[in-house]
Amino acid sequence: MIHAAYVHIPFCEHICHYCDFNKVFLKGQPVDDYLSALEKEIKLTLSKTPTKSLNSIFVGGGTPTALSEKQLERLCSMIQHHLPFTNEAEYTFEANPGDLTEDKLKVLFDLGVNRLSFGVQSFNDELLKRIGRTHKAEDVFRSVEAAKRIGFHNISIDLIYGLPGQTIEDFNQTIEASFLLETTHFSGYSLIIEPKTIFYQLHNKGKLPLPDEDDEAAMYDLLMNQMEKHGYQQYEISNFSKKGYESRHNLTYWNNEHYYGFGAGAHSYINGVRRSNYGPLKKYMTPLENHQFPIMDESKLSEKEMWEEEMFLGLRKIKGVSIEHFIEKFGKSPHVIFEDVINELVKKELILVKDEYISLTKKGLFLGNEVFQAFLLN
């Protein structure tokens, strides 16, 4: 049974220099036609692969809150009408600080949204400008305060470290400022230079002054220590929360569970099949005019691929991979399938086996990619 859904809204009022998500400038785009196509995809998918109830809905982008109040109301009403979920479900909207008015907040709150995820990234105004963000630090405080005033209490913020020209002290100041918001959840990601981004072009020209690896590692260590000091539990490599506020959306991925993915460029995992939709709006919307799925690519995973994914996704969680659950799912122990890999990684002190879980060590947290790659069988 599928218990989670991702909904993609690809419109942005500006494009950040590091972002490689599927997005387009909002101005002049056929937003209402896109919402009609999105509704068709949701109806078509649920008619073919129904579910009884979702415990997580995540609306991401792009910038979902760049839509007008009327369009947001239409989107939320559509989700409420077609996707089965209760008040106990986690229902998240991504938002940019500064562009989320109280009227928009009220629309979201009144139509069932109970969690907000703000793309803050930094509290250094100069650095925000350098990475292509249009908000300022004061906008973050204003937006979070407004959300709390409307009634939202489950609020997450994203931070990025390893940014161009960023120092360890600067990142520490950002972390300290973020605690003043008293939110329930944090995500902290290291900057990744992705193709087809402004940063990628600058990096290739040698015009992107990034912190060195040691400084980036020090920023991650600082993030983990500060989160623990302020009462936020690290439950995944990049995610921290107050007790009981772990993101169900994130855990759906790391638990390797099935989920719907709706919208242009969205990915889904249903009945062992991973699918990705067309990203360009026209390519996404045209098949749906004829009640056909807008699938660009699909792949049914082999059993070997399922084993691999269970390990390298599950190891992102601080708790790690449950040996018992792995056996229940696949009929054999990971020790049988990955004996040599596990032994080698334990020897390198990158993973440990304890209390029926296989998990990353502190050293392994810093060298996660090396660990994950080791579980890719030849």
Side-chain angles (χ1 to χ4, degrees), residues 143-196:
S143 295
V144 171
E145 287 168 7
K148 289 181 178 180
R149 200 160 50 241
I150 293 295
F152 289 96
H153 70 274
N154 192 358
I155 298 173
S156 176
I157 68 171
D158 288 357
L159 302 176
I160 301 180
Y161 59 92
L163 294 169
Q166 188 178 43
T167 64
I168 297 170
E169 178 56 31
D170 173 78
F171 185 54
N172 186 51
Q173 290 173 3
T174 277
I175 296 171
E176 292 288 359
S178 69
F179 290 135
L180 298 175
L181 297 169
E182 297 184 338
T183 60
T184 53
H185 187 280
F186 287 94
S187 295
Y189 303 105
S190 64
L191 176 67
I192 299 175
I193 307 300
E194 301 284 5
K196 300 179 182 179

Side-chain angles (χ1 to χ4, degrees), residues 49 112 135 253 277-278 304 353 370:
T49 315
H135 74 268
Y253 296 148
N277 286 345
Y278 284 108
K304 179 175 78 71
V353 182
E370 180 181 332

